[in-house]
Amino acid sequence: SRIGTAEKSKLGEGNVHGLVMALKNTATDIQWSHEENNLEDVKDCWSKSEIYSDISGLHNYTKILDHANSIGGIEAYPAFEAVEKWNDMYSINEYRPPRNTTGWFIPSSGQWWDILQNLGGCPALADVTQQTSPDIAGEFLWKSQGDVPAALNKWMENIAVGDKDTFNNLVSFCSSSEHSKYHTWYWILNNFQGMVRCIWASKFDGSDNVRPVLAF
């Protein structure tokens, strides 16, 4: 129920099993884009419920790539260019199982919600009243969620240091979900008071981290 339509279409309705989060970032301190554009095929998310419901990162990613190519090149969208280079370097479809995957893409706001709920152990994000909330704001903040970076890192504790990028305090991760012409949604982890933030910020901000996912 939390797999996006584009992911299902890519793999076939009965062939989708789940999502995988990469062990490493494809980029750090990078801009989402160099241009202001409100793409018609990418839904603007304003409320908590819209952030939660936007679960097809592959749809957003593909539409943004199509747009970038139509204006002359993916270089206008550095975060997305970084993931495409990652896909070229580490082609799971060719070299490692599972072979039937979507390839790496930037997760949507709803897919980040799932990562932080299910792997980060954030109790507030499992609350149906939060998932369906019509609240609209420039920032959504949840406190007392525990040490979320530590919870995420625990899933990777058996991975060699050089083969993973650990989650640290006060680091922001971009999503592929738009807020408006100038803004996109980011998730920020803060182990002070167990805070998790979802905030819309400029597409031109150059301090973003990119953690890709794939569906298989």
Side-chain angles (χ1 to χ4, degrees), residues 7 10 13 24 27 30 55 123 129 137 183-184 188 199:
E7 288 82 348
K10 174 83 172 180
E13 182 74 27
K24 297 188 120 184
I30 196 169
I55 59 171
T129 62
H183 302 100
T184 184
I188 303 173
I199 183 172

Side-chain angles (χ1 to χ4, degrees), residues 116 119-122 145-153 167 189 191 194-196:
L116 297 176
L119 300 183
C122 300
Q145 301 304 296
D147 191 337
V148 178
L152 290 166
N153 291 333
F167 287 87
L189 311 180
N191 57 22
M195 290 192 292
V196 172

Side-chain angles (χ1 to χ4, degrees), residues 17-18 32-33 38 55 78 98 101 106 110 156-157 180 182 189 191 195 197 211:
H17 305 285
W32 199 89
S33 75
N38 201 358
I55 59 171
T101 79
I106 297 176
M156 303 186 294
E157 63 184 354
S180 61
Y182 303 103
L189 311 180
N191 57 22
M195 290 192 292
R197 299 166 62 199
R211 190 76 159 217

Side-chain angles (χ1 to χ4, degrees), residues 162-192:
D163 294 331
K164 64 184 176 184
D165 290 329
T166 55
F167 287 87
N168 301 310
N169 192 35
L170 291 176
V171 175
S172 66
F173 291 90
C174 70
S175 76
S176 57
S177 298
E178 287 192 321
H179 169 271
S180 61
K181 182 176 182 178
Y182 303 103
H183 302 100
T184 184
W185 287 99
Y186 301 88
W187 288 84
I188 303 173
L189 311 180
N190 186 347
N191 57 22
F192 174 71

Side-chain angles (χ1 to χ4, degrees), residues 6-7 10 56-63 102-103 105-106 111:
E7 288 82 348
K10 174 83 172 180
S56 188
L58 182 62
H59 168 84
N60 298 342
Y61 185 80
T62 302
K63 294 300 182 182
T102 58
F105 57 89
I106 297 176
Q111 288 169 331

Side-chain angles (χ1 to χ4, degrees), residues 57-94:
L58 182 62
H59 168 84
N60 298 342
Y61 185 80
T62 302
K63 294 300 182 182
I64 291 166
L65 284 184
D66 289 345
H67 168 72
N69 290 324
S70 74
I71 62 171
I74 194 174
E75 296 84 4
Y77 288 78
F80 295 79
E81 181 183 23
V83 177
E84 283 301 277
K85 288 181 178 178
W86 180 272
N87 274 315
D88 289 340
M89 289 173 60
Y90 302 106
S91 177
I92 288 181
N93 290 332
E94 288 183 37

